[in-house]
Amino acid sequence: MDSQTSQSSQASPSPHTFQVDLRGLVDLLSHHLYSSPKVYLRELLQNAVDAITARRTEQPDAPARVRLHAQEGTLRVEDSGVGLTEADVHTLLATIGRSSKRAGGLQDGLQEVRSDFLGQFGIGLLACFVVAERIRVVSRSARTPEAAPVEWTASDDGSYTVRTLPHEARPEPGTTVHLTARPGAAEWLTPERVLTLARDFGSLLPYDVRVGDEAVTDLPAPWDRPYPSPATRRVALARHCHDLFGFTPLDSIELTVPLAGIRGVAYVLPAAVSPATRATHRVHLKGMLLTERAEQLLPDWAFFVRCVLDTDSLRPTASREALYEDETLAAVREALGERIRSWLTALAAGDPERLAAFLSVHHLGVKSLARHDKDMLRTMLPWLPFETTDGQLSLEEFAQRHPVVHFTRTVEEYRQVAPIASAQGVGVVNGGYTYDSDLVEALPSVRPGTVVAELDTDTVTAHLDAVDPADELALSGFLAAARARLDPLGCDVVLRAFRPLSVPALHLDDRSARHEQARAEAEAQADDLWAGILGSLRGSAPRARLVLNHLNPLIRRISSLGDPELIGTATESLYGQALLMAQRPLRPADSALLNRAFMGLLEWATNGEEGR
């Protein structure tokens, strides 16, 4: 290889410039980056606000006006901002994505105020192609007043022209943007639609913004206004919530976090919602509406509020329609959660009636918080409602009544034992609802000395009175026939005396017994391989029990029967009735048993009638 070839092989490759298909980029923006064409107006407002902020940094007394004029199919947006020179136009508008806030751009020397800007001038105008087929920008620089106004005109095919204009074309510094609607998009440029969008996006902007003669801005924000009294403030905020979210709140919560630059309010929903419902909130960034669907702003447990706030610290995503998940957002989320937590604590200390009204609707959200926050559990202990055998009570009141706080982990278990346990003087809390069993188990940690125990079948049976041995011996034949009938179902039969007398039989089992029963049924239906595997999983769980009430008149009559077949049919009927009373889901075998017992009793009754 000669030297010339060697030098050529080591030479740097020639640089190339990316070619941008503007039509493809507009399609990308409209279908993937932005959620709706309506963002075009936000981008126009943002460019105007940033331009005014830039001018006022150097000229504090400069006018701060944004005017929008809409006619069918066209829109004109005028601002009194910093304006552009011809060189600026080539720098900012010919190179899509270059921000006017970057070093080397319009804001040289203004690095310290970059946080006051949100937009990128080129990208902001490009977003307008979502609704426009032609964009015309006329601008005059406030920094270089002697420079001629400049006009930049672009089409959605990617072409643009730049020319200078006479001074009278734009006598004052600032920028005017003209949009011409693309086919099918004229509805986005009607006066009514422009006014609605401008008010939605810009109601908290710090400058004078108008659509025609209609004011857009409405400052100060409702949560920052002075009111004659707290009651007047609550009424005004309730009206604001209804206008914004469409509901009248139970209450409003201040969300002021000065260190994070956040001002706003949370509104308490008037109706219960599922904890799985993803709450959405309205967030303004430096006065401009960023999103009305912010999902990660509050902790998950605060699903009972909807909030609206303005911030200057949070970071928007590329589309500026959501919040970027970072350490700042995490810190703000914790701070806002603390505000809601403090509101609850204040209600508990000073306004029990409002707290009771709140908890009657949203106790689930507070229980979710109290699971992980002992201080909140301790504060809410006298207020949070639980279903118990003594009625709806707080855990504090229930623990004062009972030396041992028994609880069940499922609603089915509670329904099984609650009537009987209550008659025997055993207090039981239904822990089957969301978060309840966790809170009952956490009770000793905030109430030292409290004894908590899960209620099982042995505990219930131990509280039932034993039958006199002589009486039980006399009924041994009846009990043997009853046990033989229920043995295939994995259920034992025992005789006890308990109240209320109206309950003839009680079905008792626990989760381990149900699991063992399900395993045995699966083993019986499986092939040899699976039967062997399931057989190896056989446990030692106690069997379910049908407890017959010796005090009940019906049981006494059934126990005096001499026909084993009739005793078996009656026992099956008692078993099925006990399952139904416990509101337990019936297995196919249980349904078949109920049908068989019903038909057997009918047959016995009709045969007995014929014999008389």
Side-chain angles (χ1 to χ4, degrees):
M1 181 181 296
D2 57 31
S3 59
Q4 183 176 1
T5 304
S6 175
Q7 291 175 2
S8 175
S9 65
Q10 297 180 18
S12 300
S14 301
H16 299 280
T17 300
F18 281 107
Q19 300 298 312
V20 176
D21 178 1
L22 188 55
R23 287 185 183 273
L25 194 53
V26 168
D27 180 73
L28 179 67
L29 289 173
S30 60
H31 291 95
H32 301 283
L33 183 62
Y34 295 122
S35 62
S36 166
K38 69 181 183 181
V39 297
Y40 88 91
L41 193 67
R42 183 196 63 193
E43 298 298 335
L44 288 174
L45 286 176
Q46 194 62 66
N47 284 340
V49 168
D50 284 350
I52 293 172
T53 302
R55 183 176 179 184
R56 282 201 152 190
T57 301
E58 296 179 340
Q59 304 172 23
D61 296 331
R65 298 186 306 271
V66 181
R67 297 292 183 265
L68 297 91
H69 303 278
Q71 295 178 344
E72 297 301 327
T74 64
L75 175 65
R76 184 174 83 254
V77 182
E78 303 173 350
D79 69 66
S80 58
V82 69
L84 303 171
T85 64
E86 184 177 2
D88 296 330
V89 167
H90 285 289
T91 301
L92 300 177
L93 299 183
T95 307
I96 296 300
R98 180 184 295 273
S99 173
S100 61
K101 277 65 74 178
R102 294 179 180 175
L106 288 181
Q107 308 306 324
D108 283 346
L110 302 179
Q111 304 294 327
E112 70 278 4
V113 296
R114 283 181 180 173
S115 63
D116 292 333
F117 303 100
L118 287 181
Q120 288 187 321
F121 196 74
I123 288 291
L125 276 182
L126 184 60
C128 293
F129 279 122
V130 173
V131 298
E133 66 176 1
R134 192 167 71 95
I135 302 174
R136 175 171 168 257
V137 178
V138 177
S139 187
R140 182 170 182 174
S141 174
R143 288 209 184 94
T144 314
E146 66 279 4
V150 61
E151 178 191 71
W152 176 87
T153 304
S155 299
D156 60 0
D157 61 3
S159 63
Y160 73 92
T161 60
V162 178
R163 64 177 181 139
T164 57
L165 301 175
H167 283 276
E168 57 269 18
R170 176 82 198 193
E172 299 293 331
T175 300
T176 302
V177 178
H178 302 261
L179 301 186
T180 302
R182 63 191 308 131
E187 62 173 306
W188 292 102
L189 304 186
T190 61
E192 296 79 10
R193 179 64 68 89
V194 169
L195 178 60
T196 299
L197 293 179
R199 284 178 171 166
D200 196 37
F201 284 119
S203 62
L204 300 184
L205 290 175
Y207 304 133
D208 178 18
V209 182
R210 295 177 181 272
V211 176
D213 296 328
E214 298 286 341
V216 168
T217 51
D218 186 19
L219 295 176
W223 51 84
D224 285 331
R225 296 172 189 170
Y227 295 96
S229 67
T232 306
R233 178 181 180 82
R234 279 198 297 271
V235 170
L237 290 179
R239 187 183 305 113
H240 174 250
C241 175
H242 188 274
D243 293 342
L244 202 61
F245 294 114
F247 65 86
T248 300
L250 283 178
D251 207 347
S252 56
I253 308 170
E254 296 291 334
L255 295 181
T256 303
V257 186
L259 292 179
I262 287 177
R263 293 282 299 171
V265 62
Y267 294 116
V268 181
L269 292 168
V273 292
S274 167
T277 301
R278 181 64 69 178
T280 56
H281 313 283
R282 288 176 64 93
V283 177
H284 295 256
L285 191 55
K286 302 181 180 72
M288 182 70 72
L289 178 65
L290 179 72
T291 179
E292 53 191 359
R293 297 187 301 274
E295 294 185 349
Q296 306 297 332
L297 191 63
L298 297 181
D300 289 340
W301 55 261
F303 55 82
F304 51 85
V305 299
R306 297 291 181 269
C307 70
V308 54
L309 55 82
D310 188 24
T311 175
D312 58 17
S313 63
L314 298 178
R315 178 182 169 192
T317 58
S319 66
R320 298 203 293 282
E321 294 188 279
L323 296 172
Y324 191 83
E325 184 67 47
D326 57 11
E327 293 181 357
T328 301
L329 179 57
V332 166
R333 182 163 49 239
E334 179 62 29
L336 295 180
E338 182 58 37
R339 292 294 181 274
I340 299 174
R341 190 182 290 112
S342 299
W343 170 77
L344 285 169
T345 303
L347 283 187
D351 200 338
E353 290 186 1
R354 284 172 65 199
L355 177 63
F358 166 76
L359 289 178
S360 68
V361 179
H362 295 300
H363 57 273
L364 204 57
V366 179
K367 286 181 177 180
S368 175
L369 169 60
R371 280 190 311 155
H372 307 293
D373 189 326
K374 289 185 178 180
D375 290 337
M376 182 55 60
L377 176 58
R378 188 179 295 109
T379 300
M380 292 290 114
L381 206 55
W383 307 102
L384 288 174
F386 287 79
E387 182 180 358
T388 77
T389 49
D390 293 351
Q392 285 285 115
L393 293 178
S394 69
L395 287 181
E396 176 68 27
E397 186 175 356
F398 187 83
Q400 291 174 357
R401 296 185 182 187
H402 299 277
V404 178
V405 178
H406 288 99
F407 73 99
T408 63
R409 292 192 182 276
T410 69
V411 175
E412 290 78 11
E413 291 173 352
Y414 177 80
R415 289 170 177 166
Q416 239 182 332
V417 302
I420 308 304
S422 178
Q424 314 310 310
V426 179
V428 185
V429 178
N430 184 356
Y433 296 114
T434 307
Y435 311 131
D436 282 9
S437 60
D438 293 339
L439 294 177
V440 175
E441 289 184 296
L443 191 55
S445 67
V446 297
R447 196 178 189 274
T450 303
V451 179
V452 173
E454 183 176 356
L455 189 68
D456 55 24
T457 58
D458 290 334
T459 303
V460 177
T461 306
H463 280 80
L464 304 180
D465 295 334
V467 177
D468 184 88
D471 292 338
E472 188 166 3
L473 181 61
L475 298 175
S476 58
F478 160 72
L479 292 174
R483 288 166 181 156
R485 184 58 65 96
L486 295 189
D487 184 68
L489 296 174
C491 182
D492 290 333
V493 177
V494 297
L495 189 65
R496 292 290 188 273
F498 56 87
R499 299 182 185 280
L501 301 181
S502 58
V503 177
L506 174 67
H507 182 270
L508 293 178
D509 65 357
D510 53 25
R511 287 184 302 280
S512 57
R514 291 194 291 273
H515 291 163
E516 174 60 21
Q517 191 176 53
R519 185 210 60 78
E521 290 177 355
E523 180 183 357
Q525 299 173 7
D527 57 28
D528 292 342
L529 174 61
W530 281 108
I533 295 174
L534 292 170
S536 67
L537 300 176
R538 183 181 294 110
S540 58
R543 286 157 51 103
R545 303 171 191 172
L546 181 67
V547 184
L548 303 180
N549 187 0
H550 187 54
L551 301 180
N552 181 266
L554 177 62
I555 295 298
R556 288 182 175 273
R557 289 196 295 271
I558 294 174
S559 64
S560 65
L561 296 173
D563 183 353
E565 185 63 29
L566 185 55
I567 290 174
T569 299
T571 303
E572 288 180 337
S573 299
L574 291 169
Y575 174 84
Q577 188 261 357
L579 288 179
L580 294 174
M581 289 296 293
Q583 300 183 39
R584 287 279 307 280
L586 298 180
R587 301 168 299 161
D590 297 330
S591 299
L593 175 144
L594 278 171
N595 184 61
R596 183 172 65 248
F598 177 70
M599 298 303 294
L601 290 176
L602 281 179
E603 183 177 353
W604 175 83
T606 54
N607 287 339
E609 185 67 29
E610 290 174 357
R612 284 193 287 272

